[in-house]
């Protein structure tokens, strides 16, 4: 891994411990999400920042990779808001110096708006940004499912190449913003979502779960209120019960290393999609590939939000469009870039026996080397 800038932020008075890692700069700019968990550490953030460098290069975006992490487990409330605002004040020089930090695991759009406001940063006022037809916050009310959309587009591209049109059932592990977006996207494509897992277990219906009812019963942390669901559903609470469901497709949209060497033999689906970063361990990628179970890598398909932000932060968006046309253009760009990369990677896999994730990383590194680093 190349030289990185690692920043440590602490405030003992409010129990704030945070990290920012800038993995690469392209013409002075970098971007990435902000993760907020009770266990995040600087090495995890550095790994994610490097992955962001590769993800953005793979999507042909001339911008470096960065990432932030806040070690915190406070529930929603004034004390948590204070921690996030204090973080925003601490990173203000970075925000105004070309390092954009946005949403990742544990951080909502509201949280992001909170720390950007505390850092006195407004995307619309940045000189390098083309005219936006609305505020940054309002734009995301129109694009909240963009990452889930990109994952579905990546599957569609794979389906075209591998002829998977008969696949019609899916299991989703994790029901945060990404999992919900994937559920809606697959349902629109005629899929039955036969199981959804959150932190409390797995909800199952072999005939297809009521996706909108699940979404209506889900809180901001991705936890589903079982008491708000219609009768007739089945509940499994044993660990990793989502692995026991027979379906065509498994989407991993929660924690890293959800599939690893210790549980990879329990995978029952025909294809696995990394809806979250590093959802499969390196050994799991290799073992699934040996079993002829393709794994669509997150570096390709979990890029919708990064592509959208990168297009705007790199001043690559069209001017003088109304909000509807602007959003349509963004979705079309996300689709085109993810589909293109999946086609290239699948084409390379004909002669390259490595996991698709290794092929994708190699392609990303090729593109990264061509960018003007700073």
């Amino acid at each position: 891994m190349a030289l990185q800038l690692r920043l440590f932020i602490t405030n003992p008075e409010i129990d704030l411990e945070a990290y920012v890692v800038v993995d690469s700069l392209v013409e002075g700019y970098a971007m990435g999400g902000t993760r907020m968990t009770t266990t995040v550490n600087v090495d995890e953030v550095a790994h994610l920042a490097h992955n962001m460098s590769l993800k953005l290069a793979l999507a042909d975006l001339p911008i470096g990779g960065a990432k932030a992490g806040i070690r915190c487990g406070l529930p929603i409330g004034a004390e948590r808001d204070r921690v996030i605002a204090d973080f925003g004040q601490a990173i203000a020089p970075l925000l105004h110096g070309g390092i954009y930090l946005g949403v990742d695991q544990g951080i909502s759009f509201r949280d992001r708006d909170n720390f950007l406001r505390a850092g006195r940063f407004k995307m619309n006022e940045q000189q390098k940004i083309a005219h936006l037809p609305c505020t940054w916050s309002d734009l995301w009310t129109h694009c909240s499912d963009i990452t889930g959309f990109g994952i579905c587009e990546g599957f569609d591209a794979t389906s075209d190449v591998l002829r998977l049109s008969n696949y019609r059932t899916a299991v989703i592990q994790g029901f945060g913003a990404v999992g919900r977006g994937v559920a809606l996207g697959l349902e629109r494509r005629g899929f039955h979502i036969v199981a959804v897992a959150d932190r409390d277990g797995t909800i199952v219906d072999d005939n297809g779960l009521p996706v909108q009812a699940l979404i209506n019963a889900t809180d901001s942390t991705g936890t589903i209120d079982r008491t708000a669901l219609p009768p007739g559903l089945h509940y499994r609470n044993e660990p990793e019960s989502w692995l026991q469901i027979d379906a065509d497709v498994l989407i991993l949209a929660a924690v890293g290393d959800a599939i690893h060497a210790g549980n990879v033999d329990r995978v029952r689906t025909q294809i696995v999609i990394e809806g979250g970063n590093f959802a499969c361990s390196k050994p799991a990628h290799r073992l699934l590939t040996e079993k002829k179970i393709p794994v669509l890598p997150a570096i390709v398909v979990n890029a919708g939000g990064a592509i959208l932000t990168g297009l705007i932060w790199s001043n690559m968006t069209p001017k003088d469009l109304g909000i509807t046309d602007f959003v349509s253009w963004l979705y079309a760009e996300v689709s085109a870039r993810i589909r293109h990369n999946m086609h290239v990677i699948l084409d390379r896999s004909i002669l390259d026996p490595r996991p698709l994730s290794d092929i994708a990383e190699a392609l990303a590194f090729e593109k990264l080397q061509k960018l003007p680093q700073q």
Side-chain angles (χ1 to χ4, degrees):
M1 189 175 293
L3 184 66
Q4 294 178 324
L5 172 64
R6 297 188 179 195
L7 302 178
F8 296 76
I9 302 167
T10 60
N11 184 343
E13 293 182 4
I14 61 169
D15 197 27
L16 170 63
E17 182 178 341
Y19 324 94
V20 178
V21 177
V22 180
D23 179 75
S24 59
L25 287 169
V26 178
E27 298 183 341
Y29 290 90
M31 57 158 277
T34 303
R35 176 164 295 197
M36 186 170 180
T37 69
T38 59
T39 60
V40 68
N41 58 60
V42 69
D43 290 333
E44 178 184 353
V45 174
H47 194 31
L48 290 164
H50 181 63
N51 192 62
M52 182 59 69
S53 292
L54 297 178
K55 184 181 292 188
L56 293 167
L58 190 61
D60 296 309
L61 293 168
I63 188 167
K67 209 76 174 184
I70 305 173
R71 183 187 286 268
C72 180
L74 290 170
I76 296 172
E79 189 176 0
R80 183 176 186 274
D81 286 347
R82 184 186 173 196
V83 168
I84 291 172
D86 202 62
F87 169 76
Q89 292 176 19
I91 64 169
L94 296 175
L95 293 171
H96 294 281
I99 312 300
Y100 176 78
L101 297 170
V103 171
D104 195 74
Q105 181 183 346
I107 290 288
S108 67
F109 293 138
R110 176 182 177 276
D111 295 328
R112 178 209 57 198
D113 293 345
N114 185 353
F115 70 68
L116 292 182
R117 183 168 54 251
R120 299 182 182 278
F121 177 87
K122 294 182 179 180
M123 184 71 84
N124 300 64
E125 295 179 357
Q126 304 308 302
Q127 291 184 352
K128 75 186 294 290
I129 303 301
H131 169 73
L132 294 178
C134 62
T135 67
W136 186 235
S137 180
D138 286 344
L139 176 63
W140 284 94
T141 65
H142 296 274
C143 302
S144 61
D145 70 337
I146 190 69
T147 300
F149 167 81
I151 290 166
C152 291
E153 292 295 295
F155 172 77
D156 282 352
T158 305
S159 180
D160 292 342
V161 174
L162 301 183
R163 302 174 186 260
L164 309 179
S165 59
N166 60 321
Y167 286 11
R168 280 295 175 264
T169 57
V171 175
I172 301 176
Q173 182 245 359
F175 212 56
V178 175
R180 296 194 295 272
V182 172
L184 287 170
L186 290 180
E187 187 177 57
R188 285 194 290 266
R189 289 162 170 79
F191 269 76
H192 294 294
I193 312 301
V194 295
V196 166
D198 65 2
R199 67 183 63 185
D200 292 333
T202 304
I203 304 171
V204 184
D205 189 332
D206 293 339
N207 296 316
L209 291 165
V211 171
Q212 192 57 55
L214 289 177
I215 291 173
N216 293 342
T218 304
D219 66 18
S220 61
T221 69
T223 302
I224 303 166
D225 179 2
R226 272 65 172 165
T227 66
L229 296 177
L233 306 182
H234 302 284
Y235 302 94
R236 299 185 181 182
N237 298 321
E238 62 273 19
E240 298 183 339
S241 51
W242 44 272
L243 275 172
Q244 307 302 312
I245 310 300
D246 290 313
D248 299 316
V249 182
L250 170 60
I251 300 96
L252 304 171
V255 298
D257 287 349
I259 295 181
H260 47 80
N263 66 7
V264 68
D265 287 336
R266 296 167 59 196
V267 173
R268 295 187 180 186
T269 57
Q270 304 303 306
I271 191 168
V272 174
I273 303 176
E274 282 194 304
N277 292 315
F278 310 116
C280 289
S281 70
K282 284 287 187 181
H285 275 284
R286 177 179 56 79
L287 291 167
L288 287 169
T289 300
E290 290 174 357
K291 295 172 66 174
K292 307 300 183 185
I293 299 176
V295 181
L296 306 194
I299 194 175
V300 181
V301 299
N302 173 261
I307 293 171
L308 184 155
T309 304
L311 288 166
I312 293 171
W313 194 225
S314 302
N315 196 18
M316 297 173 68
T317 57
K319 299 176 176 63
D320 303 322
L321 290 181
I323 182 61
T324 300
D325 290 339
F326 188 74
V327 168
S328 295
W329 184 89
L330 289 169
Y331 274 75
E333 279 294 307
V334 166
S335 173
R337 290 168 190 253
I338 290 176
R339 282 174 172 268
H340 171 75
N341 281 326
M342 278 310 313
H343 280 131
V344 171
I345 291 160
L346 290 167
D347 184 58
R348 290 190 175 194
S349 73
I350 296 172
L351 298 177
D352 190 335
R354 293 179 299 168
L356 296 179
S357 59
D358 288 355
I359 299 172
E361 288 177 12
L363 178 60
F365 187 75
E366 291 172 16
K367 294 186 176 185
L368 185 63
Q369 295 302 102
K370 298 176 182 178
L371 293 174
Q373 301 291 314
Q374 287 185 353

